[in-house]
Amino acid sequence: VVNRVAAGEVIHRPASALKEMLENSLDAGATAITVTVRDGGNKLLQVTDDGCGIRVGDLPILCERHTTSKLTNFEDLGAMTTFGFRGEALASMSFVANLTVTTMTKDAPHATRASYADGVLTQEGTMPTSGVPGTTITVENLFYNVPTRKRALRSPSEEFGKVLEVTQRYAASRTDVSFVVRKLGDPRPA
């Protein structure tokens, strides 16, 4: 319960989750980022990038709170040039959503997929899969286990508007990076 409440302090809505995911992609050196959204980000929020990827050895601790690969010692804080380093965003998402990561470093023979729940790898662990260098983070069913937070969300169209705002802010400030937003819709009845 405590971790779910704490997650709500970091992740308020799909757009705040997206902000964290975009910053991770930019920190990874991505030059192309694709955001895919369904139901305003409530059902699906996915970010795919062509960044450096995540080392397979880092996947078991990827969603643990206060874990980061950006610091190895205290002195690294003085030279920090990334958006974040506290290791809270992915952990928070894993406490309030279904989180899956597919990643591949440039020198890896294949991509690796990992799913997380409550800050840890699920029973399946990591699995080899096909892929291209970079990372895809998929957040599904945001706030499925926190009904009060879910009820506080706006309509899917309003949440999608906030997703667009966040993406536009990063796109305007990082003209060296390609940003694409895809909105998936439910099929309309005939």
Side-chain angles (χ1 to χ4, degrees):
V1 173
V2 171
N3 286 318
R4 290 182 190 161
V5 171
E9 296 301 314
V10 177
I11 308 300
H12 308 280
R13 59 180 357 113
S16 60
L18 176 63
K19 172 199 169 290
E20 302 292 344
M21 294 162 73
L22 290 176
E23 289 178 354
N24 284 346
S25 292
L26 293 170
D27 285 346
T31 59
I33 300 173
T34 301
V35 177
T36 306
V37 178
R38 179 184 298 276
D39 195 25
N42 300 322
K43 296 278 187 217
L44 173 72
L45 180 62
Q46 184 178 69
V47 173
T48 301
D49 69 48
D50 66 348
C52 64
I54 301 166
R55 293 183 307 261
V56 173
D58 289 338
L59 289 174
I61 62 169
L62 183 70
C63 288
E64 287 184 13
R65 293 188 73 206
H66 309 296
T67 301
T68 181
S69 61
K70 297 173 185 174
L71 296 172
T72 55
N73 57 54
F74 184 77
E75 290 73 32
D76 291 345
L77 282 171
M80 186 63 55
T81 60
T82 61
F83 284 103
F85 62 88
R86 295 174 310 192
E88 291 182 86
L90 290 176
S92 294
M93 287 178 225
S94 78
F95 280 104
V96 296
N98 305 115
L99 183 89
T100 304
V101 176
T102 303
T103 189
M104 182 175 174
T105 58
K106 302 219 184 300
D107 59 344
H110 56 77
T112 303
R113 170 171 280 175
S115 296
Y116 299 86
D118 296 330
V120 295
L121 269 172
T122 58
Q123 289 181 335
E124 294 83 33
T126 60
M127 299 182 323
T129 188
S130 60
V132 295
T135 301
T136 298
I137 298 178
T138 304
V139 175
E140 296 176 287
N141 303 314
L142 191 61
F143 302 124
Y144 76 95
N145 57 0
V146 188
T148 53
R149 179 65 72 176
K150 189 171 186 130
R151 283 192 300 272
L153 293 173
R154 305 280 184 201
S155 71
S157 61
E158 286 182 69
E159 293 297 339
F160 181 69
K162 293 186 181 305
V163 163
L164 283 178
E165 281 178 32
V166 168
T167 307
Q168 289 168 340
R169 269 190 257 129
Y170 284 97
S173 67
R174 291 295 304 269
T175 57
D176 58 322
V177 178
S178 159
F179 289 85
V180 174
V181 177
R182 293 188 173 130
K183 181 180 181 183
L184 302 180
D186 295 331
R188 295 179 186 254

